[in-house]
mmCIF file of all heavy atoms in Angstrom:
data_model
loop_
_atom_site.group_PDB
_atom_site.id
_atom_site.type_symbol
_atom_site.label_atom_id
_atom_site.label_comp_id
_atom_site.label_asym_id
_atom_site.label_seq_id
_atom_site.Cartn_x
_atom_site.Cartn_y
_atom_site.Cartn_z
ATOM 1 N N VAL M 7 -4.411 18.907 -19.298
ATOM 2 C CA VAL M 7 -3.804 18.089 -20.267
ATOM 3 C C VAL M 7 -4.063 16.559 -19.829
ATOM 4 O O VAL M 7 -3.818 16.133 -18.713
ATOM 5 C CB VAL M 7 -2.262 18.181 -20.318
ATOM 6 C CG1 VAL M 7 -1.670 17.286 -21.345
ATOM 7 C CG2 VAL M 7 -1.947 19.671 -20.608
ATOM 8 N N PRO M 8 -4.685 15.797 -20.787
ATOM 9 C CA PRO M 8 -5.131 14.439 -20.406
ATOM 10 C C PRO M 8 -3.823 13.572 -20.374
ATOM 11 O O PRO M 8 -2.905 13.712 -21.141
ATOM 12 C CB PRO M 8 -6.019 13.981 -21.483
ATOM 13 C CG PRO M 8 -5.617 14.850 -22.667
ATOM 14 C CD PRO M 8 -5.275 16.144 -22.021
ATOM 15 N N VAL M 9 -3.791 12.572 -19.516
ATOM 16 C CA VAL M 9 -2.670 11.643 -19.430
ATOM 17 C C VAL M 9 -2.607 10.867 -20.792
ATOM 18 O O VAL M 9 -3.706 10.385 -21.254
ATOM 19 C CB VAL M 9 -2.904 10.664 -18.239
ATOM 20 C CG1 VAL M 9 -1.794 9.612 -18.239
ATOM 21 C CG2 VAL M 9 -2.833 11.352 -16.896
ATOM 22 N N GLY M 10 -1.484 10.735 -21.344
ATOM 23 C CA GLY M 10 -1.315 9.916 -22.602
ATOM 24 C C GLY M 10 -0.370 10.643 -23.503
ATOM 25 O O GLY M 10 0.703 11.246 -23.115
ATOM 26 N N PRO M 11 -0.561 10.470 -24.760
ATOM 27 C CA PRO M 11 0.374 10.983 -25.846
ATOM 28 C C PRO M 11 0.870 12.381 -25.647
ATOM 29 O O PRO M 11 1.935 12.722 -26.023
ATOM 30 C CB PRO M 11 -0.212 10.789 -27.049
ATOM 31 C CG PRO M 11 -1.173 9.601 -26.880
ATOM 32 C CD PRO M 11 -1.664 9.792 -25.402
ATOM 33 N N MET M 12 -0.135 13.283 -25.146
ATOM 34 C CA MET M 12 0.162 14.655 -24.930
ATOM 35 C C MET M 12 1.306 14.949 -24.037
ATOM 36 O O MET M 12 2.076 15.796 -24.227
ATOM 37 C CB MET M 12 -1.063 15.510 -24.642
ATOM 38 C CG MET M 12 -2.109 15.657 -25.719
ATOM 39 S SD MET M 12 -3.387 16.797 -25.311
ATOM 40 C CE MET M 12 -4.378 16.767 -26.732
ATOM 41 N N TYR M 13 1.384 14.067 -23.002
ATOM 42 C CA TYR M 13 2.461 14.171 -22.042
ATOM 43 C C TYR M 13 3.784 14.023 -22.805
ATOM 44 O O TYR M 13 4.789 14.762 -22.542
ATOM 45 C CB TYR M 13 2.272 13.203 -20.974
ATOM 46 C CG TYR M 13 1.361 13.570 -19.830
ATOM 47 C CD1 TYR M 13 0.389 14.552 -19.931
ATOM 48 C CD2 TYR M 13 1.576 12.921 -18.571
ATOM 49 C CE1 TYR M 13 -0.453 14.798 -18.974
ATOM 50 C CE2 TYR M 13 0.721 13.345 -17.497
ATOM 51 C CZ TYR M 13 -0.335 14.252 -17.679
ATOM 52 O OH TYR M 13 -1.087 14.585 -16.721
ATOM 53 N N GLN M 14 3.992 12.921 -23.577
ATOM 54 C CA GLN M 14 5.144 12.704 -24.434
ATOM 55 C C GLN M 14 5.539 13.916 -25.238
ATOM 56 O O GLN M 14 6.659 14.222 -25.384
ATOM 57 C CB GLN M 14 5.001 11.429 -25.114
ATOM 58 C CG GLN M 14 4.698 10.128 -24.297
ATOM 59 C CD GLN M 14 4.529 8.846 -25.092
ATOM 60 O OE1 GLN M 14 4.061 9.004 -26.316
ATOM 61 N NE2 GLN M 14 4.523 7.740 -24.366
ATOM 62 N N LYS M 15 4.482 14.435 -25.996
ATOM 63 C CA LYS M 15 4.812 15.581 -26.926
ATOM 64 C C LYS M 15 5.399 16.769 -26.100
ATOM 65 O O LYS M 15 6.231 17.422 -26.501
ATOM 66 C CB LYS M 15 3.594 15.963 -27.655
ATOM 67 C CG LYS M 15 3.046 14.861 -28.720
ATOM 68 C CD LYS M 15 1.877 15.465 -29.500
ATOM 69 C CE LYS M 15 1.584 14.390 -30.639
ATOM 70 N NZ LYS M 15 0.422 14.909 -31.418
ATOM 71 N N LEU M 16 4.716 17.012 -24.973
ATOM 72 C CA LEU M 16 5.156 18.206 -24.201
ATOM 73 C C LEU M 16 6.578 17.987 -23.705
ATOM 74 O O LEU M 16 7.364 18.842 -23.733
ATOM 75 C CB LEU M 16 4.137 18.457 -23.024
ATOM 76 C CG LEU M 16 2.754 19.014 -23.390
ATOM 77 C CD1 LEU M 16 1.855 18.878 -22.263
ATOM 78 C CD2 LEU M 16 2.953 20.488 -23.797
ATOM 79 N N HIS M 17 6.847 16.742 -23.192
ATOM 80 C CA HIS M 17 8.249 16.470 -22.651
ATOM 81 C C HIS M 17 9.189 16.500 -23.728
ATOM 82 O O HIS M 17 10.369 16.756 -23.508
ATOM 83 C CB HIS M 17 8.132 15.115 -22.043
ATOM 84 C CG HIS M 17 9.239 14.945 -20.851
ATOM 85 N ND1 HIS M 17 9.491 13.816 -20.194
ATOM 86 C CD2 HIS M 17 10.000 15.917 -20.394
ATOM 87 C CE1 HIS M 17 10.354 14.020 -19.365
ATOM 88 N NE2 HIS M 17 10.843 15.332 -19.343
ATOM 89 N N ALA M 18 8.803 16.217 -25.114
ATOM 90 C CA ALA M 18 9.713 16.301 -26.200
ATOM 91 C C ALA M 18 9.870 17.767 -26.713
ATOM 92 O O ALA M 18 10.510 17.881 -27.696
ATOM 93 C CB ALA M 18 9.222 15.376 -27.331
ATOM 94 N N GLY M 19 9.201 18.671 -26.048
ATOM 95 C CA GLY M 19 9.444 20.165 -26.511
ATOM 96 C C GLY M 19 8.364 20.586 -27.362
ATOM 97 O O GLY M 19 8.378 21.687 -27.924
ATOM 98 N N GLU M 20 7.242 19.790 -27.643
ATOM 99 C CA GLU M 20 6.215 20.238 -28.617
ATOM 100 C C GLU M 20 5.079 20.804 -27.869
ATOM 101 O O GLU M 20 4.897 20.575 -26.641
ATOM 102 C CB GLU M 20 5.730 19.125 -29.367
ATOM 103 C CG GLU M 20 6.788 18.296 -30.163
ATOM 104 C CD GLU M 20 6.188 17.044 -30.867
ATOM 105 O OE1 GLU M 20 5.071 17.226 -31.227
ATOM 106 O OE2 GLU M 20 7.010 16.108 -30.999
ATOM 107 N N SER M 21 4.316 21.812 -28.432
ATOM 108 C CA SER M 21 3.084 22.193 -27.967
ATOM 109 C C SER M 21 1.881 21.272 -28.229
ATOM 110 O O SER M 21 2.017 20.482 -29.161
ATOM 111 C CB SER M 21 2.882 23.650 -28.506
ATOM 112 O OG SER M 21 2.642 23.689 -29.805
ATOM 113 N N VAL M 22 0.761 21.366 -27.488
ATOM 114 C CA VAL M 22 -0.364 20.477 -27.779
ATOM 115 C C VAL M 22 -1.653 21.456 -27.759
ATOM 116 O O VAL M 22 -1.605 22.341 -26.952
ATOM 117 C CB VAL M 22 -0.478 19.397 -26.810
ATOM 118 C CG1 VAL M 22 0.753 18.486 -26.884
ATOM 119 C CG2 VAL M 22 -0.718 19.898 -25.379
ATOM 120 N N GLU M 23 -2.746 20.969 -28.489
ATOM 121 C CA GLU M 23 -3.958 21.638 -28.373
ATOM 122 C C GLU M 23 -4.966 20.778 -27.738
ATOM 123 O O GLU M 23 -5.134 19.627 -28.132
ATOM 124 C CB GLU M 23 -4.365 22.025 -29.910
ATOM 125 C CG GLU M 23 -5.658 22.839 -29.873
ATOM 126 C CD GLU M 23 -6.028 23.351 -31.196
ATOM 127 O OE1 GLU M 23 -5.237 23.109 -32.180
ATOM 128 O OE2 GLU M 23 -7.210 23.674 -31.505
ATOM 129 N N LEU M 24 -5.638 21.294 -26.745
ATOM 130 C CA LEU M 24 -6.643 20.578 -26.071
ATOM 131 C C LEU M 24 -7.962 20.570 -26.801
ATOM 132 O O LEU M 24 -8.158 21.336 -27.786
ATOM 133 C CB LEU M 24 -6.809 21.223 -24.690
ATOM 134 C CG LEU M 24 -5.572 21.237 -23.698
ATOM 135 C CD1 LEU M 24 -5.968 21.845 -22.370
ATOM 136 C CD2 LEU M 24 -4.882 19.987 -23.625
ATOM 137 N N ASP M 25 -8.912 19.732 -26.396
ATOM 138 C CA ASP M 25 -10.263 19.741 -27.110
ATOM 139 C C ASP M 25 -10.922 21.046 -27.099
ATOM 140 O O ASP M 25 -11.645 21.265 -28.091
ATOM 141 C CB ASP M 25 -11.208 18.685 -26.224
ATOM 142 C CG ASP M 25 -10.649 17.191 -26.562
ATOM 143 O OD1 ASP M 25 -9.779 16.968 -27.417
ATOM 144 O OD2 ASP M 25 -11.097 16.343 -25.750
ATOM 145 N N ASP M 26 -10.736 21.957 -26.197
ATOM 146 C CA ASP M 26 -11.441 23.202 -26.200
ATOM 147 C C ASP M 26 -10.630 24.190 -26.939
ATOM 148 O O ASP M 26 -11.089 25.462 -27.002
ATOM 149 C CB ASP M 26 -11.653 23.658 -24.703
ATOM 150 C CG ASP M 26 -10.357 23.916 -24.014
ATOM 151 O OD1 ASP M 26 -9.274 23.743 -24.535
ATOM 152 O OD2 ASP M 26 -10.449 24.320 -22.763
ATOM 153 N N GLY M 27 -9.567 23.857 -27.637
ATOM 154 C CA GLY M 27 -8.817 24.751 -28.445
ATOM 155 C C GLY M 27 -7.644 25.533 -27.698
ATOM 156 O O GLY M 27 -6.807 26.116 -28.354
ATOM 157 N N THR M 28 -7.476 25.231 -26.416
ATOM 158 C CA THR M 28 -6.385 25.847 -25.692
ATOM 159 C C THR M 28 -5.042 25.184 -26.117
ATOM 160 O O THR M 28 -4.967 23.973 -26.197
ATOM 161 C CB THR M 28 -6.769 25.686 -24.117
ATOM 162 O OG1 THR M 28 -7.876 26.145 -23.761
ATOM 163 C CG2 THR M 28 -5.450 26.200 -23.406
ATOM 164 N N VAL M 29 -4.120 26.012 -26.307
ATOM 165 C CA VAL M 29 -2.739 25.534 -26.661
ATOM 166 C C VAL M 29 -1.970 25.603 -25.455
ATOM 167 O O VAL M 29 -1.771 26.583 -24.819
ATOM 168 C CB VAL M 29 -2.146 26.337 -27.834
ATOM 169 C CG1 VAL M 29 -0.709 25.981 -28.073
ATOM 170 C CG2 VAL M 29 -2.955 26.204 -28.983
ATOM 171 N N VAL M 30 -1.314 24.408 -25.129
ATOM 172 C CA VAL M 30 -0.361 24.316 -24.030
ATOM 173 C C VAL M 30 1.024 24.181 -24.427
ATOM 174 O O VAL M 30 1.318 23.295 -25.291
ATOM 175 C CB VAL M 30 -0.648 23.123 -23.072
ATOM 176 C CG1 VAL M 30 0.190 23.116 -21.891
ATOM 177 C CG2 VAL M 30 -2.121 23.290 -22.454
ATOM 178 N N GLU M 31 1.878 25.145 -24.095
ATOM 179 C CA GLU M 31 3.379 25.078 -24.605
ATOM 180 C C GLU M 31 4.083 24.194 -23.635
ATOM 181 O O GLU M 31 3.873 24.036 -22.453
ATOM 182 C CB GLU M 31 3.927 26.479 -24.541
ATOM 183 C CG GLU M 31 3.102 27.451 -25.397
ATOM 184 C CD GLU M 31 3.253 27.114 -26.959
ATOM 185 O OE1 GLU M 31 4.268 26.485 -27.321
ATOM 186 O OE2 GLU M 31 2.474 27.710 -27.735
ATOM 187 N N SER M 32 5.156 23.550 -24.204
ATOM 188 C CA SER M 32 6.047 22.666 -23.434
ATOM 189 C C SER M 32 6.635 23.349 -22.265
ATOM 190 O O SER M 32 6.731 22.783 -21.078
ATOM 191 C CB SER M 32 7.096 22.029 -24.390
ATOM 192 O OG SER M 32 8.031 21.358 -23.632
ATOM 193 N N GLU M 33 7.067 24.649 -22.423
ATOM 194 C CA GLU M 33 7.761 25.373 -21.236
ATOM 195 C C GLU M 33 6.786 25.662 -20.140
ATOM 196 O O GLU M 33 7.187 25.932 -19.099
ATOM 197 C CB GLU M 33 8.418 26.661 -21.802
ATOM 198 C CG GLU M 33 7.545 27.515 -22.622
ATOM 199 C CD GLU M 33 7.578 27.274 -24.050
ATOM 200 O OE1 GLU M 33 7.850 26.170 -24.495
ATOM 201 O OE2 GLU M 33 7.418 28.335 -24.796
ATOM 202 N N GLN M 34 5.492 25.499 -20.451
ATOM 203 C CA GLN M 34 4.537 25.598 -19.252
ATOM 204 C C GLN M 34 4.591 24.480 -18.283
ATOM 205 O O GLN M 34 4.212 24.582 -17.176
ATOM 206 C CB GLN M 34 3.052 25.870 -19.756
ATOM 207 C CG GLN M 34 2.923 27.043 -20.506
ATOM 208 C CD GLN M 34 1.476 27.248 -21.013
ATOM 209 O OE1 GLN M 34 1.178 26.951 -22.227
ATOM 210 N NE2 GLN M 34 0.512 27.573 -20.167
ATOM 211 N N ILE M 35 5.051 23.315 -18.840
ATOM 212 C CA ILE M 35 5.066 22.084 -18.085
ATOM 213 C C ILE M 35 6.406 21.525 -17.772
ATOM 214 O O ILE M 35 6.591 20.912 -16.710
ATOM 215 C CB ILE M 35 4.262 20.980 -18.942
ATOM 216 C CG1 ILE M 35 2.914 21.457 -19.382
ATOM 217 C CG2 ILE M 35 4.174 19.566 -18.212
ATOM 218 C CD1 ILE M 35 2.000 21.745 -18.186
ATOM 219 N N VAL M 36 7.295 21.714 -18.629
ATOM 220 C CA VAL M 36 8.726 21.059 -18.488
ATOM 221 C C VAL M 36 9.630 22.164 -18.177
ATOM 222 O O VAL M 36 9.782 23.290 -18.724
ATOM 223 C CB VAL M 36 9.008 20.520 -19.858
ATOM 224 C CG1 VAL M 36 10.477 19.874 -19.699
ATOM 225 C CG2 VAL M 36 8.023 19.493 -20.371
ATOM 226 N N GLY M 37 10.539 21.851 -17.071
ATOM 227 C CA GLY M 37 11.550 22.699 -16.577
ATOM 228 C C GLY M 37 12.659 22.859 -17.525
ATOM 229 O O GLY M 37 12.725 22.146 -18.592
ATOM 230 N N PRO M 38 13.653 23.603 -17.231
ATOM 231 C CA PRO M 38 14.838 23.804 -18.170
ATOM 232 C C PRO M 38 15.637 22.606 -18.272
ATOM 233 O O PRO M 38 15.618 21.593 -17.403
ATOM 234 C CB PRO M 38 15.660 24.857 -17.432
ATOM 235 C CG PRO M 38 15.228 24.755 -16.033
ATOM 236 C CD PRO M 38 13.789 24.374 -15.970
#
């Protein structure tokens, strides 16, 4: 995950899609 807006989206509970199409879910990065 590149540093920048995707970090904010993940921390806000949203998932993001990387350039290669990989989807990263918030719960993979953010604790309870």
Side-chain angles (χ1 to χ4, degrees):
V7 181
V9 176
M12 286 189 180
Y13 276 25
Q14 296 174 342
K15 289 184 177 181
L16 288 165
H17 207 187
E20 302 176 34
S21 61
V22 298
E23 183 175 346
L24 306 183
D25 290 343
D26 63 1
T28 301
V29 175
V30 178
E31 303 291 344
S32 175
E33 52 266 31
Q34 294 177 261
I35 305 294
V36 181

